[in-house]
């Protein structure tokens, strides 16, 4: 029986799940450990801007670590899932999120393989987080679970003034995003378009202060419209990430009973539109973004984090000013993908969380709002521990704003969900 290609990474991860160590393994200094999470969920819809609703899915999330002593360590993460009904919009049935080897050579650590490369210290919105693409269509309550690893080689050098990292990625993928249905339009969001990326980072951790500086040269993780063509089936829109150079910095410190976080990035983009489509498509503009704010303990196991967000786009042009209807429509769609619908945007993010009943009940409300378009999202979730192994979680997410905005286009993804999970 031929299995779907989407199963291959997850079957590889399952094959790598370790068995109990034998006496010979223990004598040779080999140690293995693993963790798993089984989840059953009900969702009121999908995250693909469709009218399909009432989805059920079951999934298994696994991770393991093999410690081979002098030979280094191997770490892996992956998941498998099944979804019903069968006519729901198809997505992958499994993924190998991480599978890499690491070894320490004095002050230098080498990591090779698929890695989750998470950058940034701000809460929720991270302008420097450009190395691990996400699948925004994946039904999971946690944003972190949408993240996929990148095949990379990483060198980490530890010194008295912090860590220096050099990362080489032969083929960096872009985010997978839901695409709106448009009459007479076919989307071509080829995931085979991958480009090399190089990144440098200095990371410092001291008493109550953490900071970093970073530089990335490679494809933007957010794809945009790059090419337009026409055939008998209608308008063909091809997506491709722009080339990006991103200079970033972040900072976190405890002061005055608060935790202060800040993160900023300046991004330059090139080659975002192919030459034969430049008359119809707007290129991605250079921009800078800043996110900063405090987190406070309010007492009673309750915390509140608030951040201000600022974004400025250089050389911005209003899509509504374009006279040609097709050019105007494409420019508005392009601006939505790139979140460059205005020359300047400002906004607020928030997260209010509390723990009750001896930490067995966790409730959280979070959100983001951008002005002056009044676009964004809010989320609420409640997690209750039935015992040490079983948890029930329920939540909702709602997008709002004009249809021309990135968040406004996601209104059809407003969802409710219920999850039962166990760890073992």
């Amino acid at each position: 029986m031929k299995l779907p290609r989407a199963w291959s990474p997850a079957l590889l991860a399952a094959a790598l799940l370790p068995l109990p160590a034998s006496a010979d393994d223990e004598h040779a200094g080999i140690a293995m450990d693993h963790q798993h999470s089984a989840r059953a969920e009900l969702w009121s819809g999908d995250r693909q801007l469709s009218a399909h609703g009432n989805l059920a899915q079951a999934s298994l999330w696994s991770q393991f670590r093999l410690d081979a002593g002098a030979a280094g360590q191997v770490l892996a993460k992956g998941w498998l899932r099944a979804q019903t009904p069968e006519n729901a919009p198809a997505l992958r049935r499994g993924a190998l999120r991480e599978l890499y080897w690491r070894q320490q050579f004095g002050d230098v650590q080498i990591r090779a393989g698929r890695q989750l490369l998470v950058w940034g210290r701000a809460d929720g919105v991270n302008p420097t987080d450009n190395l691990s693409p996400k699948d925004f269509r994946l039904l999971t309550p946690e944003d972190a679970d949408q993240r996929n690893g990148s095949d990379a080689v990483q060198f980490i050098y530890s010194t008295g003034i912090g860590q220096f990292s050099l990362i080489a990625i032969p083929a960096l993928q872009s985010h997978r995003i839901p695409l709106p249905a448009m009459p007479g339009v076919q989307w071509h969001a080829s995931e085979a378009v991958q480009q090399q990326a190089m990144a440098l980072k200095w990371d410092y951790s001291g008493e109550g202060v953490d900071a970093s500086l970073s530089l990335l040269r490679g494809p933007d993780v957010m794809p945009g419209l790059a090419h337009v063509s026409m055939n008998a089936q209608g308008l063909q829109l091809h997506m491709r990430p722009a080339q990006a150079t991103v200079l970033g910095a972040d900072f976190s410190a405890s002061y005055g009973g608060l935790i202060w976080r800040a993160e900023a990035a300046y991004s330059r983009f090139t080659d975002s539109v192919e030459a034969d489509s430049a008359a119809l498509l707007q290129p991605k503009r250079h921009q800078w973004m800043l996110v900063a704010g405090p987190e406070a303990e309010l007492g009673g196991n309750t915390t509140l984090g608030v951040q201000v967000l600022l974004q400025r786009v250089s050389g911005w042009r209003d899509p509504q000013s374009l006279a040609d209807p097709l050019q105007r429509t494409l420019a508005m769609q392009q601006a939505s993908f790139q979140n460059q619908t205005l020359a300047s945007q400002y906004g607020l993010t928030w997260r209010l969380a509390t723990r009750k009943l001896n930490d067995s009940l966790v409730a959280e409300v979070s959100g983001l709002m951008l002005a002056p378009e009044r676009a964004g999202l809010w989320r609420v979730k409640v997690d209750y521990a039935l015992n040490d192994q079983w948890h029930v979680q329920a939540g909702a997410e709602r997008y709002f704003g004009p249809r021309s905005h990135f968040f406004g286009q996601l209104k059809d993804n407003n969802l409710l969900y219920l999850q039962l999970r166990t760890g073992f």
Side-chain angles (χ1 to χ4, degrees):
M1 179 180 66
K2 185 176 180 181
L3 292 171
R5 291 182 61 188
W7 280 96
S8 301
L11 288 177
L12 176 58
L16 289 171
L17 288 175
L19 298 173
S22 67
D24 291 339
D25 290 339
E26 293 175 355
H27 181 73
I30 297 177
M32 294 181 283
D33 61 75
H34 52 93
Q35 295 180 340
H36 313 278
S37 173
R39 311 172 186 182
E41 298 167 350
L42 296 174
W43 292 81
S44 64
D46 59 35
R47 285 189 171 131
Q48 299 194 69
L49 304 178
S50 76
H52 206 103
N54 301 323
L55 301 175
Q57 68 177 21
S59 59
L60 174 66
W61 296 70
S62 298
Q63 63 182 35
F64 84 91
R65 182 182 65 183
L66 169 65
D67 191 338
Q73 295 181 328
V74 176
L75 297 93
K77 292 181 180 179
W79 56 266
L80 285 167
R81 75 168 181 172
Q83 188 179 83
T84 187
E86 292 297 329
N87 62 343
L91 281 177
R92 295 177 300 166
R93 296 186 178 95
L96 183 60
R97 304 176 69 212
E98 274 195 314
L99 179 58
Y100 70 93
W101 165 83
R102 71 182 180 192
Q103 178 62 293
Q104 194 76 32
F105 299 94
D107 294 331
V108 177
Q109 183 180 115
I110 299 177
R111 301 181 182 182
R114 184 165 299 174
Q115 306 167 49
L116 291 170
L117 303 166
V118 184
W119 283 8
R121 290 185 170 87
D123 187 12
V125 179
N126 301 103
T128 66
D129 187 16
N130 300 305
L131 296 179
S132 287
K134 292 182 177 181
D135 188 345
F136 290 102
R137 308 165 303 173
L138 186 62
L139 286 174
T140 174
E142 307 300 330
D143 287 344
D145 289 342
Q146 294 180 328
R147 190 182 298 273
N148 294 309
S150 297
D151 297 330
V153 177
Q154 182 176 188
F155 299 90
I156 303 173
Y157 177 48
S158 299
T159 72
I161 58 172
Q163 287 187 340
F164 294 86
S165 301
L166 171 63
I167 303 172
I169 303 176
L172 178 61
Q173 296 183 355
S174 56
H175 293 322
R176 296 176 173 94
I177 60 176
L179 299 172
M182 300 172 64
V185 173
Q186 290 187 338
W187 295 96
H188 299 274
S190 174
E191 296 169 359
V193 180
Q194 304 166 6
Q195 305 166 40
Q196 294 180 354
M198 294 288 295
L200 292 168
K201 186 181 184 184
W202 167 75
D203 208 322
Y204 173 81
S205 293
E207 292 187 7
V209 177
D210 299 311
S212 77
L213 296 173
S214 60
L215 175 65
L216 166 71
R217 173 59 180 168
D220 184 18
V221 286
M222 180 60 76
L225 294 174
H227 177 65
V228 179
S229 61
M230 182 73 72
N231 59 23
Q233 285 72 45
L235 192 65
Q236 309 296 305
L237 300 182
H238 302 260
M239 302 188 69
R240 186 190 68 187
Q243 276 290 316
T245 301
V246 183
L247 178 62
D250 62 47
F251 175 82
S252 175
S254 299
Y255 181 76
L258 302 175
I259 300 176
W260 295 87
R261 297 185 180 94
E263 187 172 343
Y266 175 69
S267 306
R268 296 183 64 87
F269 302 101
T270 59
D271 303 326
S272 62
V273 173
E274 295 184 11
D276 61 352
S277 301
L280 286 174
L281 299 177
Q282 299 292 307
K284 190 165 187 178
R285 309 291 184 178
H286 309 329
Q287 69 176 39
W288 66 264
M289 181 184 293
L290 170 67
V291 182
E295 180 180 306
E297 294 282 349
L298 301 183
N301 294 324
T302 300
T303 60
L304 173 63
V306 179
Q307 298 178 145
V308 174
L309 184 150
L310 303 173
Q311 177 179 290
R312 176 68 182 177
V313 179
S314 302
W316 181 81
R317 184 179 181 184
D318 187 355
Q320 298 280 8
S321 67
L322 300 175
D324 181 77
L326 176 59
Q327 187 181 19
R328 183 169 60 250
T329 299
L330 294 176
M332 292 175 64
Q333 185 62 68
Q334 182 80 309
S336 171
F337 283 146
Q338 299 166 348
N339 193 29
Q340 294 187 344
T341 52
L342 289 173
S344 297
Q345 289 189 84
Y346 53 92
L348 196 69
T349 72
W350 67 90
R351 186 187 303 271
L352 177 65
T354 186
R355 294 177 176 270
K356 301 295 182 181
L357 304 178
N358 295 321
D359 290 346
S360 61
L361 178 66
V362 180
E364 179 181 297
V365 178
S366 61
L368 162 68
M369 181 172 179
L370 296 175
E373 293 179 302
R374 298 183 181 180
L377 76 156
W378 63 260
R379 290 172 171 163
V380 58
K381 63 181 179 181
V382 178
D383 188 290
Y384 180 67
L386 300 173
N387 52 40
D388 291 340
Q389 285 187 305
W390 290 91
H391 285 249
V392 175
Q393 181 171 305
E397 55 187 50
R398 180 180 182 272
Y399 297 87
F400 58 92
R403 287 286 182 177
S404 59
H405 195 277
F406 177 79
F407 289 109
Q409 286 201 348
L410 299 178
K411 287 179 180 179
D412 293 332
N413 283 350
N414 292 342
L415 295 172
L416 301 171
Y417 69 87
L418 177 66
Q419 180 194 75
L420 175 66
R421 73 179 185 276
T422 182
F424 56 98

